[in-house]
């Protein structure tokens, strides 16, 4: 039970991301976690949280996280005050990648400086 408690923040994150088909078992001091994230970005969030708690290669957790939609990195709903640069920084840790987001959404965006709250933007996978 101690391992499950150690990784409770990972389980809480999975719940908040609405991970599908989630299963958690503790066997022989190792936590076994499975589930399906909506996008690669959400899978990355789970892994980042696991590494934050257990280190780069934790031996006390085994996670098998699948991805429901790998055609995009994520789908982002614009909030008031956001810019493509801020959104690119959030997903890619690089504001100058805003052009990639702009190109992936050229069907709804005509100017990279004009986005509106509640627009759903595709955050593309970067090669």
């Amino acid at each position: 039970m101690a391992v499950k408690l150690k990784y409770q923040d990972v389980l809480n994150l999975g719940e908040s991301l609405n991970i599908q088909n989630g299963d958690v078992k503790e066997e022989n001091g190792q936590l076994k976690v499975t589930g399906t994230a909506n996008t690669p970005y959400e899978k990355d969030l789970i892994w980042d949280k696991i590494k934050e708690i257990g280190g780069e290669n934790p031996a006390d957790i085994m996670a098998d996280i699948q991805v429901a939609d790998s055609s995009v990195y994520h789908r982002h709903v614009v909030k008031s005050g956001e810019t493509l640069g801020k959104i690119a920084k959030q997903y890619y840790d690089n504001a100058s990648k805003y052009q990639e987001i702009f190109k992936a959404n050229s069907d709804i965006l005509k100017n990279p400086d004009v986005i509106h709250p509640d627009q759903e933007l595709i955050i593309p996978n970067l090669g």
Side-chain angles (χ1 to χ4, degrees), residues 5-67:
L5 193 58
K6 176 181 175 182
Y7 288 100
Q8 189 60 50
D9 285 350
V10 173
L11 305 178
N12 293 346
L13 177 60
E15 205 170 286
S16 73
L17 292 173
N18 200 24
I19 299 296
Q20 299 299 303
N21 307 315
D23 189 44
V24 179
K25 290 187 188 106
E26 192 169 335
E27 295 175 5
N28 304 321
Q30 186 180 51
L31 197 62
K32 297 184 184 214
V33 181
T34 59
T36 303
N38 290 314
T39 62
Y41 173 70
E42 290 182 357
K43 178 179 179 174
D44 287 350
L45 288 178
I46 297 282
W47 274 107
D48 289 347
K49 184 57 80 176
I50 288 170
K51 290 176 184 176
E52 179 185 312
I53 295 168
E56 197 59 35
N57 293 302
D60 57 354
I61 187 168
M62 194 233 38
D64 181 9
I65 310 297
Q66 303 298 311
V67 174

Side-chain angles (χ1 to χ4, degrees), residues 91-111:
Y91 292 102
Y92 305 131
D93 204 27
N94 183 344
S96 66
K97 298 274 186 196
Y98 78 91
Q99 285 287 356
E100 303 295 329
I101 298 171
F102 179 66
K103 285 181 206 158
N105 293 280
S106 60
D107 56 330
I108 59 169
L109 300 179
K110 301 304 171 214
N111 180 334

